[in-house]
Amino acid sequence: MPMTTQDDTDDPPHAATTPDLTIRPTTRADGAAMWRLARDGGVLDLNSSYAYLLYAQDFADTCRVATLDGSVVGFVLAHRPPARPGSLFVWQVGVSPEARGRRIAARMIEDLLDSLDVETLEATVTESNTASRALFSGIAARRGAELTWREFVRGGDFPDEGHEAEPLLQIPVGH
Ligand SMILES: CC(C)(COP(=O)(O)OP(=O)(O)OC[C@H]1O[C@@H](n2cnc3c(N)ncnc32)[C@H](O)[C@@H]1OP(=O)(O)O)[C@@H](O)C(=O)NCCC(=O)NCCS
């Protein structure tokens, strides 16, 4: 399992780089930028800032940031659910509005799949989130894999008003 140190000055253990774009595992120092992207993107449920810091530090092997010229322009918040250890569950993906449409989200997820030994890619996507549905359909199509849906978290499960259901999509990604 890739290791992330608590020392923010250390190089990340793995990084996919093109001339202007870098995709790499997170460090605690990325948590603040991830929180800002989620806050400013206009679509995602904003978690507490501590949640992003915690994932960035303690789930670094299953999280990614994308940087353009050193600035964080995208992130993936993901983990391996203990009940489904062969799965990678993508909780949130966010790309800054000005950086969208460059396959940054897809490349962050592909980078995770390249570095992890997982059989299934999972995410929940609300019915109205066209961009996110296109993102995961594209990943499935490029792999020639069938994307399937099942009930997961229902609208009525949320204690606060106005949440759409969060059905679970699953894509087989085993090598
Ligand atoms: C969803 C999101 C992360 C996609 O980021 P992105 O880097 O622009 O996505 P990509 O460029 O990798 O596009 C992936 C696919 O989705 C398609 N797509 C992207 N935005 C789209 C849109 N607004 N409408 C329709 N399709 C869209 C692309 O054409 C691409 O399709 P392909 O794989 O067949 O070529 C970004 O729009 C975002 O941050 N949205 C707000 C937060 C959010 O909704 N997150 C997802 C819920 S967890």
Side-chain angles (χ1 to χ4, degrees):
M1 181 180 298
M3 291 288 115
T4 294
T5 72
Q6 309 311 305
D7 180 350
D8 301 333
T9 63
D10 280 0
D11 285 338
H14 160 85
T17 306
T18 58
D20 56 350
L21 181 77
T22 297
I23 292 171
R24 58 168 174 76
T26 50
T27 70
R28 185 179 64 237
D30 297 315
M34 294 160 76
W35 178 80
R36 283 189 200 98
L37 277 179
R39 182 193 62 186
D40 298 341
V43 175
L44 296 172
D45 274 350
L46 183 62
N47 298 305
S48 74
S49 52
Y50 187 28
Y52 295 94
L53 289 164
L54 202 59
Y55 263 69
Q57 175 174 280
D58 284 350
F59 293 82
D61 63 326
T62 54
C63 293
R64 289 291 181 274
V65 284
T67 65
L68 272 176
D69 301 326
S71 298
V72 175
V73 296
F75 73 92
V76 178
L77 206 61
H79 62 262
R80 273 180 284 214
R84 301 185 302 282
S87 292
L88 176 71
F89 177 86
V90 173
W91 184 12
Q92 291 191 326
V93 194
V95 172
S96 68
E98 51 285 0
R100 287 178 193 166
R102 299 177 53 169
R103 310 274 316 274
I104 291 176
R107 286 150 78 179
M108 288 190 291
I109 292 171
E110 294 291 355
D111 190 63
L112 280 167
L113 297 177
D114 287 346
S115 72
L116 297 168
D117 187 17
V118 290
E119 289 151 21
T120 309
L121 173 64
E122 299 183 343
T124 64
V125 182
T126 57
E127 200 169 344
S128 63
N129 195 332
T130 311
S132 190
R133 285 186 174 234
L135 168 65
F136 287 100
S137 301
I139 290 170
R142 279 191 296 280
R143 290 172 170 263
E146 187 186 1
L147 186 160
T148 55
W149 292 94
R150 68 179 170 97
E151 188 179 76
F152 194 62
V153 175
R154 295 163 300 179
D157 292 328
F158 289 98
D160 43 344
E161 296 274 314
H163 272 280
E164 285 181 75
E166 293 276 2
L168 183 74
L169 68 81
Q170 295 181 307
I171 302 169
V173 292
H175 301 292

